[in-house]
Amino acid sequence: MPLPPEFHEIAKRVNNWGRWGESDEIGTLNLITDAVVREAVATVRAGRRVALAVPLRQRGIQTGLIPGRVNPLHTMTSVNREEFAPGSVATSDDTVTMGLQAGTHWDALPHVSHGGRIYNGRPADSITAHARAVFSGVEKARHVVSRGVLLDVARARGVDRLTPGRAVTPEDLEAAEDMGAVSVGPGDVVVVRTGHMQRYLAGDRRAYGSASPGLSIRTPEWFHARDVAAVANDTLCFEVFPPEIDGLWLPVHALHLVEMGMMQGQNWNLEELSAACAEEGRYAFLLAATPEPFEGAVGAPVAPVAVL
Amino acid sequence: MPLPPEFHEIAKRVNNWGRWGESDEIGTLNLITDAVVREAVATVRAGRRVALAVPLRQRGIQTGLIPGRVNPLHTMTSVNREEFAPGSVATSDDTVTMGLQAGTHWDALPHVSHGGRIYNGRPADSITAHARAVFSGVEKARHVVSRGVLLDVARARGVDRLTPGRAVTPEDLEAAEDMGAVSVGPGDVVVVRTGHMQRYLAGDRRAYGSASPGLSIRTPEWFHARDVAAVANDTLCFEVFPPEIDGLWLPVHALHLVEMGMMQGQNWNLEELSAACAEEGRYAFLLAATPEPFEGAVGAPVAPVAVL
Amino acid sequence: MPLPPEFHEIAKRVNNWGRWGESDEIGTLNLITDAVVREAVATVRAGRRVALAVPLRQRGIQTGLIPGRVNPLHTMTSVNREEFAPGSVATSDDTVTMGLQAGTHWDALPHVSHGGRIYNGRPADSITAHARAVFSGVEKARHVVSRGVLLDVARARGVDRLTPGRAVTPEDLEAAEDMGAVSVGPGDVVVVRTGHMQRYLAGDRRAYGSASPGLSIRTPEWFHARDVAAVANDTLCFEVFPPEIDGLWLPVHALHLVEMGMMQGQNWNLEELSAACAEEGRYAFLLAATPEPFEGAVGAPVAPVAVL
Amino acid sequence: MPLPPEFHEIAKRVNNWGRWGESDEIGTLNLITDAVVREAVATVRAGRRVALAVPLRQRGIQTGLIPGRVNPLHTMTSVNREEFAPGSVATSDDTVTMGLQAGTHWDALPHVSHGGRIYNGRPADSITAHARAVFSGVEKARHVVSRGVLLDVARARGVDRLTPGRAVTPEDLEAAEDMGAVSVGPGDVVVVRTGHMQRYLAGDRRAYGSASPGLSIRTPEWFHARDVAAVANDTLCFEVFPPEIDGLWLPVHALHLVEMGMMQGQNWNLEELSAACAEEGRYAFLLAATPEPFEGAVGAPVAPVAVL
C-alpha cells in the first residue's frame, strides 16, 4: 500500500532536505547552536539532576514482539579473577548482547525509510548488513546537550496517564505549554509525557508494549514550526498505536526521521521528571542526552539526564 | 603475593568506607551536590560542546589481550523491512554484542576487589555470574553531571604525549592546574590527558593497548585530598603500565574503586578537548558523563560531553 | 535444605567416581567401546536417517523462565556482499548469540554440582566465570556415536503423550523395551519418548516449558544397572516436573551428571523417530550425537541423527 | 569485474539447477540415498571414532580479517547457582556469541551468489537481514551421514603439508585415491587433506588464516563427475588462496554452492584422521557431519565424526 496523499502533503511542508547542505547527516540537531546551549544552561536554578533512563536488564521492556530487538543479556566474563597475583587485586569484567533500541534509546535518522529514501534524499539501500548505516548513523550525533522542555500532557489533561490509543495532538502540546508556562523554541529537545511508562514500572510489560498513547500525525508540523531539535516520549512506539489512519503505519516516524531529519527518543522514564518539574514550577531545563556512538547504527541506548 | 605494606598505608589514608553510611553504593559521587552542579553550570561561557567518546566499532580499541572484553559486534536485524505494508514505511533495526569496558567507559566500583572486599566493605563474593554485581552496580550511578576539569599533563609538560611507562604524579597534576589556571575541588570530575590516545587515533591499536603512561600510585591521595568525584583519562589501563612497583598490579584501581569508592574512566578521547580548552583559555567546564545503566554491571560505556 | 537421605543412598549405589581413573573427565562415555560401535553399526538395515534436533530460532523453546538461557538470535553480518569485485561473486555471512542449552542439547557433566563437587569428586569451584568448566567441559565428549535405543514410553503405554507431572519409572522403561523387543545394554545411548515435544511442535511453548512428564528419581539406578552411556528425552527439564519429592529439585540431574558422570540430553524431537521405529519394527539403531565442542562449556547444542 | 568466460563454461557443465526439481533446496545431498548409507555403514571395521572438529574458543581460528566472523565468546550465566534450595543441587549455565563460520563448519548453499542467483536459480535477494536465508538455509540439511572418503593429498604427495598457494588439482585427488586404494563415488562426502591445519594447531593463527593451499577451479568438474554429495577440507578459505586466476575470487565457492548446490566444509581437523586411515589402511569410513540447524543460516558449526 503506497503512502496516502495526506502523508505526502505533510511531508512536503516539513521537509528539511538540503536545508543544512547536501552532505548534512544530522538534520535538526543543527538547530542546537552555541547560543541555544547557553540559554539551556541559564535555565538551571537548583542544580537538581533527574535520570530519565530505564535500567537495562534481561527482564526489560521487550516482550519478543519485535524480532531481533532483544533485551540486554548481561554476562560476567570474569568474577574476582586474580589474574596477576593470587591474594592481590582481583578483577571482574562483563559483556552484553542487546537490541540497540531495546531500552531507553534514540532512533537515528536511517531507522526508517520510505520511497527508497532516508533523510536528505540519500538512498535507503546505502544501509546494508555489512556496512550498516553509512549515512546519518547514530554516531554522527556526537553531542546532544540542549534546552529540554517537558510537555507533561498527562498532567495538563488532569490524568495519571493517557489511555491506550489516545493520540497526542498539537492542542495537547499547547495545553502542556500553558500549564508549564513554557514556550517551545528553536533547538529545544522536547520530552512529551503520556504517563504510559507507569505500566512498565508497575511490572506489566505486555500492557506497556501493546496499544499505547502517542504522538499524532498532526504533531510533526507543530515540531517543525517550532524548529525543535529532537523529541522523546515515554512509550515503546512513540507515535500513537494503533495508528490514526487505518493501514498507515509509522507515519510520524517517516515524517520526523526521513523528512525532517529529526531524531526520536522512546522508552524514556518521565515520571520522576514530572514530579520534579511540578515541584520546581519549571518545565525547561538543561538536558544531556548523547547517544552511545555505535558506528553505522540506526539507533542507540542513551542515559538522558535533566538538570533543573 | 599479598599487597605490600605501602599499599595498605595509602589505603588507610584514603578509605571512605562508612563515610556516606553503611548502605551507600555510590561513593564519591555523593560529592556532586546541587551546589557543585550550579557551579559547574556557571563555568559555561561559549556553549561549545566537545564529545569525548571514541566511536564504538568492531575494529575498535580491544586487541584480544583481555579475554572476553570484545569489541562491539554491531549487526542489522532488519534492513529497510517493509513489515507492515509493501511500498510504505520500511524499518531497519540493529543489535550489538560487546564488552562493557571495550570502548570509552566507566569502571563501576565492584570492577575490582582485594582481600575479599569491594567498596564500603561489602563482600566481593556478592558478585556472581547470575546475579552479577548486586552492590554498587553501574546503574546506581544514575546521573554523572558535574564540573569537569581537564588536567592537560601532556601540554603542561610541553610534549605531544607522555611516553609509555611514564607515571603521572601529583606534581604533574599540579603543573597542569597551574598551566590551566584552575584548581580542582570537591565534586569535580577530573580528566587527565596524557596524549596516549593519539596512538589509537593514528591506527596503532597495539601501541595504544600495551605499555602506556598513566596515573601513579601517589595520585589517589591527591584526588582524595581534593575530594574529587571521579577521574578519567585517555589510556586503556588508566594507571601507568607496566606498574611502578614490581609485581604490584592495579594498585590505583584498588585504591580508587575499593577504598575510595571512586569511579574511573578509560579510553576517553581528550584530543579535541585539549584544543578547545587551549583556545578558550579555560580548563573547567560542565561535564555530562552518565554511564549506560546496565543493571549489576561492573562497567559501562559512556558518551561524555564537555560544555565550555 | 540439604539433600535427603534417600538421595544419598541412591547416590552411593550409582556412584562412578574413580571407576575410570582419577583423571577421567567423560564418565559413562567410556562405555562406548569399539565393540559397542561395531554392534551399533550392525543394527542398520534400511539406511534410513532421522533427525532429532529442533531447528534453532529466535522464536524457539525458551520462554524467558530460565535467566540467561536465551533463544538463538541469528543475524546476518553480510548479505550478498560483493567485497572483492563488483559484479562478481557475492558472499553472505552470519552470527548467533544463544544459550547453549536453549535448544536440542546435551548437559555436560559440570552442569550441576552438589556438596561442592562435580563428577569424579572434582571441586565445583573449579568452574569460574573466566575459565569456565576446566574439568569435564563438553568439548571432552569428542565423539558420541553409539547404539541408540528408543524407549517409546508413550507408545508402550498407549497414549499420544504422557501427562504433565507423570514420572517415567523403571517399569515404564521395561514396558517400552518389551514393546520394542529391544534390550538396553552397556554403552547404549537411550532416548526416552514421552511425547511432550508435541506441545512445542504445536506452537504452545508455555505448555511445553512448564509442568511436564520426565524421568523418575528411580531411573538412575536402572540406567546404572544397564551401564548406559547417556540418556536423552523430549522435554525441557528431563526429569519429571514438578519433582516427585517435595522440595527436592533436580535429583536426577545430580545422580546422572555428578554421581554417574552420565550426560543428559533435552529437547530432542522424537516424534519422527517414533514413527520410523514403529514402521521398521526396530527400536535399536546407530546414533550420531556429538555435541558442538565449546571449550569449557557446561552444555552444548547437538544435531542428533538416528540411522535405522 | 564480471566473471570470466572460463568460469561460465565450467558453470554450464556442472550446473544442477532443476536436477532434483524446481523446489529442491538441498542439492547434492540428494545423492545420499539409503543405499549409499548402507554402503557407508558397511565400511566400518574397527569401530574406531575420530573427531574432526576444532574446539570452539575465543582464541580460535579467526583473526579479525573477516568482518563479523567473530570467534566464540563463551560466557557463564550462572556458576553453581543454588537457585532452588541452598545446600542442595546447584546449576551452571552458559551462552555463546559467534560467527557461524568461525570454526569447523559447513557453508550452506546461499553463502555465496553470483549474477543475483543462488542455488537452483533462486533470487539472491531472497536473503535479507530479517528473514535471513529463506531458501536452502543450513537447517534444510537435516542429516548428513554418508560414506566419507579421505583424500590425503599431503600424504600422497609425500609432504607434511602443501605449501601456501598450492592448488589441489584433479590429478592430486586421483593420486590420493590411488594411495588410499579408494574410489570416490556417488553420495560420498569427500574430505581433502592439505595438512595446512598444522599451522593453526601449532598456534600460528596468522599463518593459518592467510595464504593457503586449497582446491583448484578445476576440481568442481571432478566432484561433479563423481556425483559427490559434499566436500570439506582443512583450510580457512577452502579454495586455493591467493586465487589461481588474477582477480577471480571464490570461483570454487560459486561453482559448488550456486551451480552444483553442494555444501563445502572448512576448518576441519584431518590430522588424527590421516594417521588413523594410514594405520587402518582404509580411507573410506562412515561419516556423521550434520550441521547445527540454525534456521535461515548460510553456514553452521558442525562436529564431524568419522567411524572406521
Side-chain angles (χ1 to χ4, degrees), chain B:
Chain B
M1 198 193 76
L3 292 162
E6 58 231 84
F7 173 87
H8 288 293
E9 280 154 31
I10 302 175
K12 230 174 289 173
R13 292 197 291 269
V14 303
N15 186 279
N16 283 325
W17 297 4
R19 180 173 171 186
W20 296 283
E22 283 192 2
S23 63
D24 178 62
E25 300 189 46
I26 61 169
T28 52
L29 289 182
N30 285 292
L31 296 164
I32 307 180
T33 60
D34 288 1
V36 165
V37 174
R38 289 193 299 268
E39 284 170 43
V41 160
T43 64
V44 178
R45 299 269 190 290
R48 178 175 182 175
R49 288 133 290 148
V50 181
L52 310 184
V54 171
L56 291 161
R57 59 177 151 197
Q58 203 190 338
R59 292 194 67 75
I61 284 172
Q62 302 304 315
T63 57
L65 283 180
I66 305 171
R69 198 177 285 189
V70 294
N71 280 316
L73 173 66
H74 173 233
T75 61
M76 304 301 302
T77 51
S78 64
V79 173
N80 294 309
R81 182 182 185 191
E82 297 183 348
E83 56 194 313
F84 303 112
S88 179
V89 178
T91 59
S92 298
D93 231 28
D94 43 14
T95 191
V96 77
T97 295
M98 65 181 288
L100 288 175
Q101 292 103 332
T104 301
H105 71 278
W106 283 116
D107 286 345
L109 305 189
H111 173 50
V112 309
S113 65
H114 72 88
R117 297 287 149 182
I118 56 172
Y119 168 66
N120 225 357
R122 300 278 192 175
D125 62 11
S126 60
I127 309 168
T128 62
H130 74 277
R132 284 91 28 73
V134 294
F135 297 117
S136 299
V138 80
E139 83 281 11
K140 305 289 167 63
R142 298 191 68 224
H143 37 67
V144 179
V145 176
S146 192
R147 194 175 81 133
V149 173
L150 173 64
L151 296 183
D152 193 340
V153 175
R155 188 180 296 267
R157 293 311 191 188
V159 296
D160 275 351
R161 59 174 185 269
L162 303 182
T163 51
R166 165 73 152 76
V168 172
T169 63
E171 294 74 29
D172 290 323
L173 301 179
E174 289 172 8
E177 274 188 307
D178 289 347
M179 184 205 68
V182 68
S183 181
V184 169
D188 283 351
V189 176
V190 176
V191 288
V192 179
R193 180 172 170 268
T194 69
H196 190 63
M197 177 57 71
Q198 295 163 17
R199 308 305 292 263
Y200 173 71
L201 298 175
D204 193 344
R205 304 194 294 165
R206 285 180 197 281
Y208 177 71
S210 49
S212 73
L215 292 172
S216 164
I217 191 173
R218 294 172 52 217
T219 53
E221 283 191 88
W222 193 88
F223 294 125
H224 186 254
R226 305 292 184 109
D227 259 346
V228 159
V231 179
N233 78 0
D234 53 355
T235 71
L236 180 77
C237 191
F238 186 69
E239 53 192 280
V240 62
F241 187 84
E244 293 162 285
I245 298 173
D246 204 44
L248 178 53
W249 299 89
L250 302 180
V252 177
H253 278 67
L255 293 166
H256 283 170
L257 299 169
V258 179
E259 301 295 331
M260 295 169 61
M262 184 177 78
M263 298 202 314
Q264 302 176 158
Q266 281 113 310
N267 301 323
W268 292 35
N269 180 357
L270 305 176
E271 297 305 298
E272 185 183 344
L273 181 63
S274 172
C277 287
E279 283 170 28
E280 301 280 339
R282 291 176 294 121
Y283 285 81
F285 39 82
L286 177 71
L287 179 69
T290 303
E292 278 301 316
F294 288 99
E295 214 172 69
V298 298
V302 61
V305 173
V307 185
L308 280 83

Side-chain angles (χ1 to χ4, degrees), chain C residues 1 34 38 45-46 49 56 69 74 80 86 90 92-98 111 113 124 132 293 295 298, chain D residues 1 34 38 45-46 49 56 69 74 80 86 90 92-98 100 111 113 124 132 293 295 298:
Chain C
M1 198 194 76
D34 288 1
R38 288 193 301 267
R45 299 270 191 289
R49 289 132 289 148
L56 292 161
R69 199 177 283 190
H74 172 233
N80 294 309
S92 298
D93 231 27
D94 43 14
T95 191
V96 77
T97 295
M98 66 181 287
H111 172 50
S113 65
R132 283 89 31 70
E295 215 171 70
V298 298
Chain D
M1 197 194 76
D34 288 0
R38 289 193 301 268
R45 299 270 191 288
R49 289 132 289 148
L56 292 160
R69 199 177 283 191
H74 172 233
N80 295 307
S92 298
D93 231 29
D94 43 13
T95 190
V96 77
T97 295
M98 66 181 288
L100 288 176
H111 172 49
S113 64
R132 283 90 29 73
E295 215 171 71
V298 299

Side-chain angles (χ1 to χ4, degrees), chain A residues 215-280:
Chain A
L215 293 172
S216 163
I217 192 174
R218 293 172 50 220
T219 52
E221 283 190 270
W222 194 88
F223 294 124
H224 186 253
R226 304 293 184 108
D227 258 348
V228 158
V231 179
N233 77 1
D234 53 355
T235 71
L236 182 77
C237 191
F238 187 70
E239 54 192 279
V240 63
F241 186 83
E244 294 163 284
I245 298 173
D246 205 43
L248 178 53
W249 300 89
L250 300 181
V252 177
H253 278 68
L255 292 167
H256 283 170
L257 299 169
V258 180
E259 300 295 330
M260 295 168 63
M262 185 176 77
M263 297 202 314
Q264 301 177 160
Q266 281 114 311
N267 301 323
W268 291 36
N269 180 357
L270 306 176
E271 296 305 298
E272 185 184 344
L273 181 64
S274 171
C277 286
E279 283 169 30
E280 301 280 340

Side-chain angles (χ1 to χ4, degrees), chain D residues 230-304:
Chain D
V231 180
N233 77 1
D234 53 356
T235 71
L236 181 78
C237 190
F238 186 70
E239 54 192 279
V240 63
F241 186 84
E244 293 164 285
I245 298 173
D246 204 45
L248 178 54
W249 299 87
L250 301 180
V252 177
H253 278 67
L255 292 167
H256 283 171
L257 298 169
V258 180
E259 301 294 330
M260 295 169 63
M262 184 176 77
M263 297 202 316
Q264 300 177 160
Q266 281 114 311
N267 301 323
W268 292 35
N269 180 357
L270 306 176
E271 296 306 297
E272 186 183 345
L273 181 63
S274 172
C277 287
E279 282 170 28
E280 301 280 340
R282 291 176 293 120
Y283 285 81
F285 40 81
L286 177 71
L287 180 68
T290 303
E292 278 301 315
F294 288 99
E295 215 171 71
V298 299
V302 62

Side-chain angles (χ1 to χ4, degrees), chain C residues 1-3 7 29 32-35 37-38 41-42 44-58 66-70 72 74-81 83-101 104 110-115 118 124-130 132-133 139 142-145 241 247-251 253-254 269 272 286 288 290-305 307, chain D residues 1-3 7 29 32-35 37-38 41-42 44-58 66-70 72 74-81 83-101 104 110-115 118 124-130 132-133 139 142-145 241 247-251 253-254 269 272 286 288 290-305 307:
Chain C
M1 198 194 76
L3 292 162
F7 173 86
L29 289 183
I32 307 179
T33 60
D34 288 1
V37 175
R38 288 193 301 267
V41 160
V44 178
R45 299 270 191 289
R48 178 174 181 174
R49 289 132 289 148
V50 181
L52 310 184
V54 171
L56 292 161
R57 59 177 152 196
Q58 203 190 337
I66 306 171
R69 199 177 283 190
V70 294
H74 172 233
T75 61
M76 305 301 303
T77 50
S78 63
V79 173
N80 294 309
R81 182 183 185 190
E83 55 193 315
F84 303 113
S88 179
V89 178
T91 60
S92 298
D93 231 27
D94 43 14
T95 191
V96 77
T97 295
M98 66 181 287
L100 288 175
Q101 292 103 331
T104 302
H111 172 50
V112 309
S113 65
H114 73 87
I118 55 171
D125 61 12
S126 60
I127 309 168
T128 62
H130 75 277
R132 283 89 31 70
E139 84 281 11
R142 299 191 67 223
H143 36 67
V144 179
V145 177
F241 187 84
L248 177 53
W249 300 88
L250 301 180
H253 278 67
N269 180 357
E272 185 184 345
L286 177 71
T290 303
E292 278 301 316
F294 288 99
E295 215 171 70
V298 298
V302 62
V305 173
V307 186
Chain D
M1 197 194 76
L3 292 161
F7 174 87
L29 289 183
I32 307 179
T33 60
D34 288 0
V37 174
R38 289 193 301 268
V41 160
V44 178
R45 299 270 191 288
R48 178 176 183 173
R49 289 132 289 148
V50 181
L52 311 183
V54 170
L56 292 160
R57 59 177 152 197
Q58 203 190 339
I66 305 171
R69 199 177 283 191
V70 294
H74 172 233
T75 62
M76 304 301 301
T77 51
S78 64
V79 172
N80 295 307
R81 181 184 185 189
E83 56 193 315
F84 303 112
S88 180
V89 179
T91 58
S92 298
D93 231 29
D94 43 13
T95 190
V96 77
T97 295
M98 66 181 288
L100 288 176
Q101 291 103 333
T104 302
H111 172 49
V112 309
S113 64
H114 72 88
I118 56 172
D125 62 11
S126 60
I127 309 168
T128 62
H130 74 277
R132 283 90 29 73
E139 84 280 13
R142 299 191 66 224
H143 36 68
V144 178
V145 176
F241 186 84
L248 178 54
W249 299 87
L250 301 180
H253 278 67
N269 180 357
E272 186 183 345
L286 177 71
T290 303
E292 278 301 315
F294 288 99
E295 215 171 71
V298 299
V302 62
V305 173
V307 186

Side-chain angles (χ1 to χ4, degrees), chain C residues 206-230:
Chain C
R206 285 182 196 281
Y208 177 71
S210 50
S212 73
L215 292 172
S216 163
I217 192 173
R218 294 171 52 217
T219 52
E221 282 190 270
W222 194 88
F223 294 125
H224 185 254
R226 305 293 184 108
D227 259 347
V228 158

